């Protein structure tokens, strides 16, 4: 009997282990990787991501985040360690840009996501001519059920929904794919992967090349996404909304945080402070013991030889005490924007501004005023609406078609442009500062470069060797030197890691004069903007409030559609309107309603049994409200299908 119990326990343990393995989508054990001999960017990295989790992968630039994603995709082989992924699940990496045949339009590329469905449809069409054969009829029935379950009749609707969400207009869908920029191709392949119903999404800076509305749509989409998400991103607002857990790569290993970005930032700071306190406490104790050991050794030399053993014992104790490493913190940029006093009432006044390129009108009839007093304005809008063009017109760098701009007499502007470039890529960083308008000495240039993270030999790099983030830091070196009272920053956090974004925020926070921000970084806007200028449909909507209040107020305003549904194939339309298909979908909707109602009834019963546990009751009540929202959506869908079926049967 004991043997039977033992065998049962083994079976139970094995079954639980198998269940646990099935719940894990990504498992990484002891990964190591070095590209330069002796410099390991991954050094024993281990982590796991469970099915359905949303996890952010963070770390400074160069810590190996993208390398991890490429290892998971099989593009890069680790030097050691193992990676386990479920063999029956589809995994996709957003940063990959595959090749497509010449002549493919954007829509053709998107429709490659439906190739498995198209193959099924072709086989069904071939089988439909042989339905008198029993085996053919059985195979047709199996395919038909799978085709419907996989959304085969809803491909056009799904394509249109994702195209609208990512701001892909009908004209854009007709463009040849190979004429698009790298950023546009990245956006198209994001859309393609979303259409493929990938089980595991690896997102490498997914919000790059997306405007604010498209990013918000992506966040909403991922909220309802059933699969697993591992995201590398510098978009802190995106991380706050999407991820529920953070894995930070630090010194080649994984450090874990159970929360979104805001939790991570606070908890990381708390852990570093605690580590610093523990380190200081240990060092103080070590110093006391070392002093005691030195004294005892001295006494031993003076004649008490046996005391050496006591001193050696103390030294061994010191070795056991030293368990906490000195905390490593990033060197922060502590430079501030230099400012000068403003005298006057108006910083800027613009009247009847308009601008068009060829047949496209960006904006017209704009009247803008910025008063003195240190206003902080964020200029926002979708890509292509003309935000950067408007900024150049306000600065006098570009002429408007109509209207004029007048700056106050004591206004001195500073400008960080979106696309940072320098006239001579073969100048060193030091020479770039020495021969700039600010006229640094060599010593001043090196000191300033060091303050902006270019230390030692980095100051002798050529400008043309710099990455996008390094170019931005070099531009900030120059912009922050001039004395200004009206500062315009166009996408100031582009290409910067999170630590660098925090550097800029520190500088902006200390800037006392007027500020105009053009940015898609909602975390940055939310922190600083006191007024929102939204450029929409060629007009400026002036919101005299911060970003959170803007979101609340703007939700009530209707937006025009950015794209139209692609024309549906006649055969697809007939299938979609088939009464039999509608009845099946209606049955599924009724089952969904029944399941949700049963779950709601169960929660209500649990709430009645909570007794005096008020916190538990609150938790159950929150779950019940979420289920009620789901039920309302399901009921609306059921009503829609019922009406469609009734109209079809009565026609």
């Amino acid at each position: 009997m004991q043997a039977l119990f033992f065998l049962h326990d083994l079976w139970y343990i094995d079954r639980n282990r198998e269940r646990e393995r099935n719940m894990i989508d990504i498992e990484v054990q002891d990964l190591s990787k070095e590209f330069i001999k002796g410099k390991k960017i991954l050094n024993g990295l281990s982590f796991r991501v469970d099915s359905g989790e949303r996890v952010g992968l963070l770390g400074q630039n160069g810590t190996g985040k993208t390398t991890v994603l490429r290892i998971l995709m099989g593009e890069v082989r680790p030097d050691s360690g193992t990676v386990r992924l479920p063999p029956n699940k589809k995994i996709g990496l957003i940063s990959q840009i595959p090749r497509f045949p010449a002549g493919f339009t954007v829509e053709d590329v998107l429709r490659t996501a439906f190739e498995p469905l198209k193959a099924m449809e072709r086989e069904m069409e071939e089988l439909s001519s042989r339905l008198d054969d029993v085996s053919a009829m059985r195979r047709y029935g199996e395919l038909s059920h799978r085709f419907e379950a996989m959304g085969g009749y809803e491909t056009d609707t799904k394509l249109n929904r994702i195209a609208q969400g990512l701001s892909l207009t009908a004209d854009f869908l007709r463009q040849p794919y190979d004429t698009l920029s790298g950023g546009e191709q990245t956006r198209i392949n994001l859309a393609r992967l979303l259409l493929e119903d990938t089980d595991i999404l690896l997102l490498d800076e997914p919000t790059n090349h997306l405007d604010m509305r498209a990013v918000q749509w992506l966040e909403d989409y991922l909220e309802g996404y059933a699969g697993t998400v591992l995201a590398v991103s510098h978009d802190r607002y995106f991380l706050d909304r999407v991820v529920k857990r953070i894995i930070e790569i630090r010194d080649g290993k994984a450090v874990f945080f159970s929360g979104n970005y805001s939790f991570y930032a606070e908890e990381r700071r708390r852990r570093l402070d605690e580590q610093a306190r523990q380190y200081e406490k240990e060092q103080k104790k070590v110093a006391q013991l070392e002093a005691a050991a030195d004294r005892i050794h001295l006494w031993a030399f003076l004649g008490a030889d046996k005391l050496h053993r006591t001193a050696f014992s103390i030294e061994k104790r010191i070795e056991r005490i030293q368990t906490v490493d000195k905390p490593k913190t990033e060197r922060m940029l502590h430079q501030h924007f230099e400012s000068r006093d403003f005298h006057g009432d108006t910083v800027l006044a613009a009247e009847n501004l308009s601008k068009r390129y060829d047949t496209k009108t960006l904006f017209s009839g704009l009247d803008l005023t910025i008063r003195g007093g240190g206003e902080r304005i964020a200029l926002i809008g979708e890509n292509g609406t003309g935000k950067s063009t408007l900024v150049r017109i306000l600065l006098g760098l570009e002429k408007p078609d109509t209207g004029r701009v007048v700056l106050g007499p004591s206004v001195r502007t500073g400008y960080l442009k979106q696309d940072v470039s320098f006239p001579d890529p073969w100048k060193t960083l030091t020479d770039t500062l020495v021969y700039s308008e600010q006229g640094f000495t060599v010593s001043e240039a090196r000191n300033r470069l060091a303050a902006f993270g270019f230390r030692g030999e980095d100051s002798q790099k050529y400008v043309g060797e710099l990455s996008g983030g390094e170019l931005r830091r070099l531009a900030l070196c120059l912009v922050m030197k001039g004395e200004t009272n009206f500062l315009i920053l166009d996408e100031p956090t582009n290409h910067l890691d999170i630590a660098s974004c925090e550097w800029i925020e520190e500088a902006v926070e200390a800037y006392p004069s007027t500020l105009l921000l053009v940015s898609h970084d909602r975390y940055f806007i939310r922190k600083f903007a006191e007024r929102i200028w939204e450029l929409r449909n060629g007009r400026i909507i002036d919101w005299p409030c911060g970003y959170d209040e803007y979101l609340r107020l703007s939700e009530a305003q209707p937006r025009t559609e950015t794209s139209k549904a692609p024309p549906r194939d006649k055969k697809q339309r007939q299938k979609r309107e088939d009464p039999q298909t509608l009845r099946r979908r209606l049955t599924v909707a009724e089952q969904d309603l029944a399941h949700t109602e049963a779950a709601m009834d169960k929660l209500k019963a649990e709430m009645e049994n909570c007794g005096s546990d008020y916190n538990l009751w609150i938790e159950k009540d929150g779950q019940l409200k979420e289920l009620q929202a789901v039920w309302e959506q399901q009921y609306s869908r059921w009503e829609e299908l019922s009406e469609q079926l009734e109209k079809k049967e009565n026609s």
Side-chain angles (χ1 to χ4, degrees):
M1 182 63 71
Q2 288 181 343
L4 286 175
F5 279 127
F6 177 71
L7 289 173
H8 176 271
D9 288 344
L10 284 179
W11 170 82
Y12 184 78
I13 291 168
D14 287 343
R15 190 179 67 168
N16 282 345
R17 284 176 178 169
E18 182 65 28
R19 185 183 295 120
E20 186 177 343
R21 279 196 294 269
N22 291 337
M23 290 175 62
I24 301 173
D25 271 357
I26 300 171
E27 187 172 18
V28 169
Q29 286 288 338
D30 295 322
L31 279 194
S32 292
K33 183 66 183 178
E34 64 178 40
F35 293 103
I36 300 174
K37 192 168 182 60
K39 291 186 177 181
K40 288 188 176 182
I41 61 170
L42 303 179
N43 187 16
L45 181 76
S46 297
F47 67 86
R48 57 180 270 186
V49 179
D50 292 339
S51 180
E53 268 199 300
R54 278 98 170 100
V55 178
L57 187 62
L58 302 189
Q60 287 185 283
N61 286 349
T63 53
K65 303 183 294 295
T66 297
T67 300
V68 170
L69 299 187
R70 295 179 67 195
I71 288 174
L72 293 176
M73 289 299 298
E75 295 178 11
V76 173
R77 291 180 63 87
D79 298 330
S80 62
T82 59
V83 173
R84 292 188 181 90
L85 300 168
N88 59 334
K89 291 190 176 182
K90 189 186 297 182
I91 184 169
L93 174 59
I94 293 299
S95 65
Q96 287 181 318
I97 302 181
R99 293 183 176 275
F100 295 96
F104 258 42
T105 65
V106 171
E107 186 174 346
D108 292 333
V109 170
L110 295 181
R111 288 193 178 276
T112 61
F114 304 130
E115 277 304 317
L117 290 169
K118 290 294 182 185
M120 270 195 271
E121 189 173 30
R122 287 192 293 270
E123 187 177 352
M124 286 165 61
E125 288 178 357
E126 191 273 328
L127 288 168
S128 64
S129 62
R130 300 188 288 113
L131 292 180
D132 53 338
D133 180 70
V134 175
S135 61
M137 185 168 64
R138 185 182 297 113
R139 175 63 177 165
Y140 183 90
E142 292 172 358
L143 285 174
S144 178
H145 180 75
R146 283 175 54 200
F147 186 78
E148 183 183 351
M150 292 173 64
Y153 299 121
E154 299 176 351
T155 55
D156 290 325
T157 302
K158 189 174 180 181
L159 190 150
N160 180 51
R161 179 166 62 89
I162 286 179
Q164 284 188 356
L166 295 177
S167 304
L168 308 178
T169 65
D171 289 340
F172 189 79
L173 291 175
R174 290 190 287 269
Q175 286 189 33
Y177 175 79
D178 54 12
T179 64
L180 303 182
S181 67
E184 289 171 329
Q185 288 185 354
T186 300
R187 185 153 51 114
I188 298 310
N189 282 286
L190 168 59
R192 182 181 58 81
L193 275 179
L194 296 181
L195 287 168
E196 281 184 353
D197 285 332
T198 306
D199 300 300
I200 303 171
L201 276 178
L202 306 180
L203 307 180
D204 193 0
E205 299 297 347
T207 62
N208 283 2
H209 315 295
L210 298 181
D211 58 36
M212 200 176 290
R213 191 182 73 84
V215 172
Q216 290 169 350
W217 177 88
L218 178 60
E219 290 166 351
D220 292 338
Y221 177 90
L222 292 174
E223 189 174 352
Y225 174 64
T228 300
V229 175
L230 180 62
V232 172
S233 180
H234 292 145
D235 188 331
R236 295 162 292 171
Y237 202 98
F238 174 85
L239 291 170
D240 261 352
R241 286 203 63 194
V242 172
V243 308
K244 308 301 181 189
R245 188 160 68 92
I246 297 288
I247 300 172
E248 181 188 11
I249 301 179
R250 194 188 304 169
D251 298 327
K253 292 181 170 59
V255 184
F256 303 99
F257 299 84
S258 300
N260 62 7
Y261 172 78
S262 292
F263 173 85
Y264 154 80
E266 188 63 33
E267 177 65 10
R268 186 176 189 273
R269 194 176 299 115
R270 186 196 68 76
R271 290 185 193 179
L272 286 172
D273 290 345
E274 178 63 28
Q275 185 180 349
R277 284 194 295 270
Q278 186 65 24
Y279 177 79
E280 289 174 5
K281 183 179 177 181
E282 281 188 1
Q283 292 306 302
K284 190 177 292 184
K285 184 67 175 176
V286 165
Q288 291 173 348
L289 291 173
E290 284 177 342
D294 289 344
R295 285 197 303 272
I296 293 171
H297 275 306
L298 180 61
W299 295 338
F301 281 122
L302 294 176
D305 290 344
K306 293 182 180 180
L307 289 177
H308 278 304
R309 185 178 299 174
T310 303
F312 289 141
S313 177
I314 292 174
E315 288 168 350
K316 287 183 179 179
R317 184 182 171 192
I318 291 172
E319 292 176 4
R320 291 194 298 270
I321 286 176
Q322 291 180 316
T323 58
V324 177
D325 294 329
K326 185 176 182 179
K328 295 179 182 178
T329 56
E330 297 85 3
R331 291 185 178 181
M332 296 293 287
L333 177 150
H334 294 293
Q335 296 291 323
H336 290 162
F337 290 99
E338 296 181 7
S339 63
R340 62 185 297 168
D341 293 337
F342 172 74
H343 303 285
D345 297 324
T346 303
V347 173
L348 176 146
E351 299 176 358
N352 194 34
L353 293 185
S354 66
K355 188 67 179 180
R356 62 183 292 132
Y357 290 108
D358 297 326
T359 59
K360 182 179 180 181
T361 299
L362 291 179
F363 46 80
S364 62
L366 298 189
D367 295 323
L368 306 170
T369 303
I370 300 177
R371 304 289 180 191
E375 268 198 304
R376 297 186 168 199
I377 303 169
L379 175 61
I380 66 173
E382 296 175 14
N383 288 343
T385 53
K387 302 185 297 296
S388 294
T389 300
L390 177 58
V391 165
R392 289 196 297 271
I393 289 173
L394 296 180
L395 286 165
L397 302 176
E398 191 169 335
K399 290 185 177 180
D401 295 334
T402 65
R404 63 176 188 145
V405 178
V406 178
L407 292 174
S410 64
V411 171
R412 295 293 179 271
T413 60
Y415 175 43
L416 177 68
K417 60 184 180 179
Q418 180 176 347
D419 299 316
V420 175
S421 61
F422 292 86
D424 190 348
W426 298 110
K427 271 185 180 176
T428 65
L429 274 60
T430 301
D431 287 344
T432 299
L433 265 63
V434 168
Y435 295 104
S436 67
E437 293 180 5
Q438 287 84 345
F440 294 88
T441 65
V442 172
S443 176
E444 288 173 340
R446 288 176 176 169
N447 289 337
R448 191 163 184 84
L449 286 167
F452 281 78
F454 300 108
R455 299 177 181 88
E457 294 180 359
D458 286 346
S459 65
Q460 296 307 308
K461 278 184 176 180
Y462 293 113
V463 170
E465 296 177 325
L466 300 183
S467 67
E470 289 171 328
L471 281 171
R472 207 149 199 82
R473 275 193 282 134
L474 182 59
L476 282 165
C477 260
L478 297 169
V479 173
M480 295 174 82
K481 175 63 176 174
E483 291 188 357
T484 68
N485 48 32
F486 180 30
L487 185 62
I488 300 178
L489 304 177
D490 194 349
E491 300 293 353
T493 58
N494 267 13
H495 308 296
L496 297 181
D497 59 22
I498 289 176
S500 299
C501 291
E502 291 172 348
W503 294 346
I504 293 183
E505 285 171 2
E506 179 187 316
V508 169
E509 196 158 12
Y511 185 69
S513 300
T514 303
L515 182 69
L516 177 61
L517 299 170
V518 183
S519 182
H520 288 135
D521 186 338
R522 294 158 299 161
Y523 199 95
F524 194 82
I525 294 171
R526 186 184 189 191
K527 188 166 185 176
F528 294 112
E530 300 165 351
R531 181 177 170 192
I532 305 288
W533 279 354
E534 183 182 10
L535 185 52
R536 189 202 303 179
N537 299 329
R539 299 282 180 177
I540 287 284
I541 304 173
D542 192 347
W543 305 87
C545 57
Y547 185 68
D548 287 339
E549 185 68 6
Y550 154 77
L551 285 179
R552 188 183 69 80
L553 295 172
S554 64
E555 283 178 359
Q557 291 209 359
R559 292 181 177 270
T560 57
E561 294 296 324
T562 58
S563 63
K564 296 179 180 179
R568 286 198 188 123
D569 180 80
K570 184 177 180 182
K571 187 182 293 185
Q572 288 276 47
R573 186 169 62 249
Q574 288 171 345
K575 288 178 181 177
R576 181 172 170 77
E577 294 174 349
D578 180 14
Q580 188 175 356
T581 300
L582 285 172
R583 286 193 200 95
R584 283 196 294 267
R585 291 167 64 198
L586 188 62
T587 301
V588 172
E590 289 170 348
Q591 291 172 347
D592 289 341
L593 278 171
H595 286 311
T596 305
E597 287 170 353
M600 290 166 64
D601 290 338
K602 183 181 178 182
L603 267 178
K604 289 175 183 176
E606 290 173 355
M607 289 171 69
E608 290 176 359
N609 296 326
C610 284
S612 59
D613 192 339
Y614 179 72
N615 290 331
L616 181 60
W617 189 93
I618 288 292
E619 180 183 345
K620 299 291 183 184
D621 185 59
Q623 294 172 6
L624 181 60
K625 287 175 180 175
E626 291 177 1
L627 280 176
Q628 285 170 338
V630 171
W631 184 90
E632 287 172 1
Q633 292 176 351
Q634 291 172 343
Y635 186 79
S636 298
R637 183 64 178 147
W638 178 85
E639 280 189 319
E640 179 185 347
L641 289 170
S642 298
E643 289 174 3
Q644 288 180 18
L645 181 59
E646 184 178 356
K647 288 177 182 177
K648 193 66 180 174
E649 289 178 335
N650 293 335
S651 61

